[in-house]
Amino acid sequence: MLRAEVTQAHVLPRTVSDVLSEASTAGCSRGPTTTYAWTLHRQTILVWRVKDGIQAPMRRLLLDQLPRGRIFVKVIPHSNSAAVTVIACTSGGHLYVWLDANFPAPPFSQQLFVSADDSSNGNAGDAVICALSAATAGSGSSLGFMAVIGTADGSLHLYHGSQNGIFPKQFHKPAPAAGPTPGMLGAFGSVVKALYSEAFDPLHNVQRQTASAMGALQLHLQPVDGSRWKLFVLTPEALDCWLLGAVGGRHNGEQLLWSYNLHGVLSVAYKARELSILAFAVSSGSISSGTAAAGPTHQQSQVYVWTTHLGATSRSHQHALSCLTLQEGSTVPEFIPALSSQTSSHVLSLESTADSTYRSWQVVAHNALSSCLLLSPSGSVLEWMSEQGPLGFLGSSPEHLAISCCGPVSNGVSNWLLLNASYGALEFKPSAAVPQGVPEAAGDTMTPEQEGAALEMLNKTVYLMLKEYLAGCPYRDLAEGLADRLARLSVFKGSQGRQLLVAASSSLVDQLAKSGTGVVSAASLRGQLQDKQIRHDLMLAAFQSGQVLQQVSPQQCRAVLEHAEMLAAVMAVLDWQRDMEVAAAELASGVTRTQVAAAAAAIQAAGILSGEGNAGYDAAASPGQHWEMFFSRPVVSMPALFEAIVMEASKVRSVLRYLMLHQHGTTPHA
């Protein structure tokens, strides 16, 4: 499902998990400190905060009519409050705005546009709207937003909203078609001008004179400061950049900064006879040039463009990720061929499915690393980072719905976020943030750093699987690729690493109880053992799903399975002791209290043997602590039980020999 190191698994709320498989579209929106997810189910938009998991409060936003066709949704978390603004616009031109979705108030609702011929009133799925982008506006407690809507005729419309109202403005309308064809003298002048520009103007084939007249494929609104935004407009032919401004609800100027001949530049670069632009993403602020968060940074933005093309001689489509850099103060972006990557279409599983009808190509740029994440409509996930070059395939599933870059984590570097219909929201580390320089020991040994990282990876995987298991969700696929990640830490390089897996299994089974008070009951012991059984079974499932068992020797595999058997045996001993006590109390099956006492003595003796060598263990402690030690360390206590039974049997035999000697005055036969 996902060949990456998952660090968090946020289980879906019950309401969402019941409808997400039927939902027509879904998405994620990253805020300054948290990430929200949303999905559309019939006539209702469900919005929740990802980190709240299964208990997340649900915002249910009802549309006044069932949308037909695509719907554009933007969820805007505000930095200085718990408020969250939700903007939705149907492809038919109906706009909905919930200024704060936390309150059950009806939205601002208005039919903004109709079809180009004004004949259908925006109904029946006419694609009047082709793109939407939005960002926060204002500061402090002001719940302001800035939104831009692109229409099919190439126009761009600006909406600045707050508690004072929503102020619209159309700031770009494509120029009408050119007039009559110029005469011979005018045509000759145009040819001379073109030849001059070709020879002396380096931006002649790169920079366009006017904004694109085609409908937008995608919009990206990026805040510059409190009153200005950059708007990036991707069309089938160009990438435009506008500077927008608004203060107090009044627009104070919209300026086209540049228009980049994207289609022409990429067609030449890939020698393509056909090229289609699919999606793009823009990084914000400083980009790290190294793999660590503390690496050197430089002020530039990176633009990632996903395209598909047919080469001059090829018969199958190639997908390409193109990287453009925009230095601070530069006129137009610069295409970097060395940072571009191509892949075949068959790798992406591009078959069209009914579930992907309204899904779009998605590209997300990392906010601090030179890296991006890609998701195809059919659910293929790929990752690109500048240090690796080629696109990395992370897996494919039709249940992959949306991607995002979540808020900063403990190490200061944001994780990727993948919304899956079954597993919920999965956080995983960007490849550029995974330490590549873990010191390696000479020969087949592992360094302490590698051992620690491997154990942490195993424990984290089992924890995430347990979380999904307890929520009633599937969990096995969370371990996919585990063997590859362990191999990068030299776990399978020699016997030391493989033995580490056996030690991890033994440590989980022999984990001591936290109390250690000696005041234990059969119910609490049973609960502890059941918890260990579940965790160890999940570890075995992780080893199996992650192709780990194939990498260890038969002896080591047998040792891990024996740990599971010993855990089950200890559970059987506990049940057997309980059944004997019940039988003795009811005088059933010939069980006497003497037999119960003998069994208890054997368990206590085994507990003493199990505690030997354990730091802080007192052999003169209370009997309850001996019992707790026995049931807490199955790998040690089960062999000790057989030894204790032999010891108790020897004591009984000695007593019998003594009694027979004194009663009969003869020496009994052995």
Side-chain angles (χ1 to χ4, degrees), residues 5-10 409 415 417 425-428 460 463-464 467-468 478:
E5 183 178 348
V6 178
T7 59
Q8 289 288 339
H10 304 285
V409 293
N415 285 334
L417 186 74
L426 304 178
E427 288 188 34
F428 59 98
K460 193 71 173 180
Y463 167 76
L464 294 175
K467 189 176 181 181
E468 296 282 334
L478 291 176

Side-chain angles (χ1 to χ4, degrees), residues 12 93 106 110 129 138-139 169 177 182 196 203 240 242-243 337 342 370 385 395 399 453 471 490 538 570 592 594 645:
L12 295 172
Q110 183 177 350
I129 306 300
S139 58
K169 178 183 180 181
Y196 178 85
L203 298 180
D240 300 339
W242 295 78
L243 182 65
Q342 300 185 54
S370 182
M385 56 180 291
E399 293 190 327
S490 302
L538 291 174
V570 169
T592 64
T594 303
I645 290 174

Side-chain angles (χ1 to χ4, degrees), residues 555-623:
Q555 294 80 3
Q556 292 161 338
C557 183
R558 189 181 304 115
V560 174
L561 297 177
E562 285 178 353
H563 294 163
E565 293 173 355
M566 291 178 180
L567 192 56
V570 169
M571 177 70 81
V573 169
L574 181 63
D575 294 337
W576 169 69
Q577 175 67 16
R578 179 197 59 187
D579 294 342
M580 285 189 63
E581 291 177 351
V582 172
E586 297 177 354
L587 300 177
S589 304
V591 178
T592 64
R593 296 191 179 275
T594 303
Q595 293 172 316
V596 174
I603 294 175
Q604 181 175 336
I608 296 174
L609 294 174
S610 302
E612 291 180 355
N614 186 62
Y617 178 74
D618 183 9
S622 64

Side-chain angles (χ1 to χ4, degrees), residues 64-389:
D64 56 11
Q65 59 183 344
L66 184 66
R68 288 179 287 182
R70 189 177 176 188
I71 185 170
F72 303 88
V73 178
K74 293 296 178 183
V75 179
I76 312 174
H78 294 270
S79 58
N80 296 321
S81 69
V84 54
T85 297
V86 179
I87 304 172
C89 190
T90 66
S91 59
H94 203 117
L95 177 68
Y96 303 86
V97 177
W98 291 266
L99 199 57
D100 188 356
N102 293 316
F103 295 94
F108 166 84
S109 176
Q110 183 177 350
Q111 182 73 40
L112 301 179
F113 309 102
V114 295
S115 60
D117 58 4
D118 295 332
S119 61
S120 62
N121 296 323
N123 294 324
D126 294 307
V128 182
I129 306 300
C130 54
L132 166 68
S133 184
T136 56
S139 58
S141 59
S142 175
L143 302 182
F145 70 89
M146 176 74 77
V148 178
I149 293 176
T151 56
D153 63 357
S155 299
L156 296 173
H157 301 260
L158 183 64
Y159 294 86
H160 184 213
S162 66
Q163 290 97 330
N164 299 323
I166 297 177
F167 303 89
K169 178 183 180 181
Q170 179 179 354
F171 67 91
H172 172 61
K173 185 175 182 179
T181 305
M184 181 181 297
L185 185 61
F188 179 75
S190 299
V191 171
V192 172
K193 182 180 179 181
L195 292 174
Y196 178 85
S197 300
E198 183 76 26
F200 299 102
D201 185 3
L203 298 180
H204 171 66
N205 293 322
V206 174
Q207 188 173 17
R208 295 162 47 94
Q209 299 301 316
T210 59
S212 174
M214 303 183 72
L217 297 172
Q218 191 178 342
L219 302 174
H220 177 78
L221 200 57
Q222 187 177 83
V224 177
D225 52 39
S227 60
R228 295 188 304 162
W229 295 260
K230 279 186 177 180
L231 173 67
F232 295 88
V233 183
L234 182 71
T235 71
E237 64 178 0
L239 178 64
D240 300 339
C241 182
W242 295 78
L243 182 65
L244 311 179
V247 177
R250 293 187 176 183
H251 307 290
N252 59 359
E254 296 79 30
Q255 175 188 358
L256 178 67
L257 297 180
W258 45 261
S259 180
Y260 186 75
N261 183 22
L262 185 62
H263 189 279
V265 171
L266 297 184
S267 295
V268 172
Y270 297 124
K271 300 178 181 179
R273 65 179 189 268
E274 293 180 13
L275 185 139
S276 298
I277 299 173
L278 302 176
F280 86 124
V282 183
S283 66
S284 58
S286 301
I287 296 297
S288 172
S289 59
T291 57
T297 60
H298 46 284
Q299 289 293 329
Q300 72 171 21
S301 293
Q302 288 187 333
V303 181
Y304 306 101
V305 183
W306 198 357
T307 59
T308 179
H309 66 271
L310 274 173
T313 58
S314 63
R315 296 183 178 180
S316 60
H317 281 83
Q318 294 285 317
H319 281 254
L321 178 71
S322 305
C323 182
L324 292 78
T325 60
L326 182 62
Q327 300 289 344
E328 190 70 25
S330 61
T331 306
V332 292
E334 179 184 1
F335 173 59
I336 311 296
L339 296 183
S340 301
S341 178
Q342 300 185 54
T343 186
S344 300
S345 296
H346 72 274
V347 176
L348 302 179
S349 303
L350 299 180
E351 309 85 28
S352 60
T353 61
D355 294 337
S356 61
T357 304
Y358 296 120
R359 296 185 193 175
S360 59
W361 302 86
Q362 299 180 43
V363 184
V364 175
H366 199 275
N367 58 354
L369 301 171
S370 182
S371 179
C372 69
L373 194 68
L374 307 96
L375 178 65
S376 74
S378 58
S380 295
V381 182
L382 300 98
E383 185 184 22
W384 177 89
M385 56 180 291
S386 58
E387 290 79 8
Q388 291 182 346

Side-chain angles (χ1 to χ4, degrees), residues 416-433:
W416 294 127
L417 186 74
L418 172 66
L419 182 63
N420 182 277
S422 295
Y423 288 86
L426 304 178
E427 288 188 34
F428 59 98
K429 293 181 180 180
S431 298

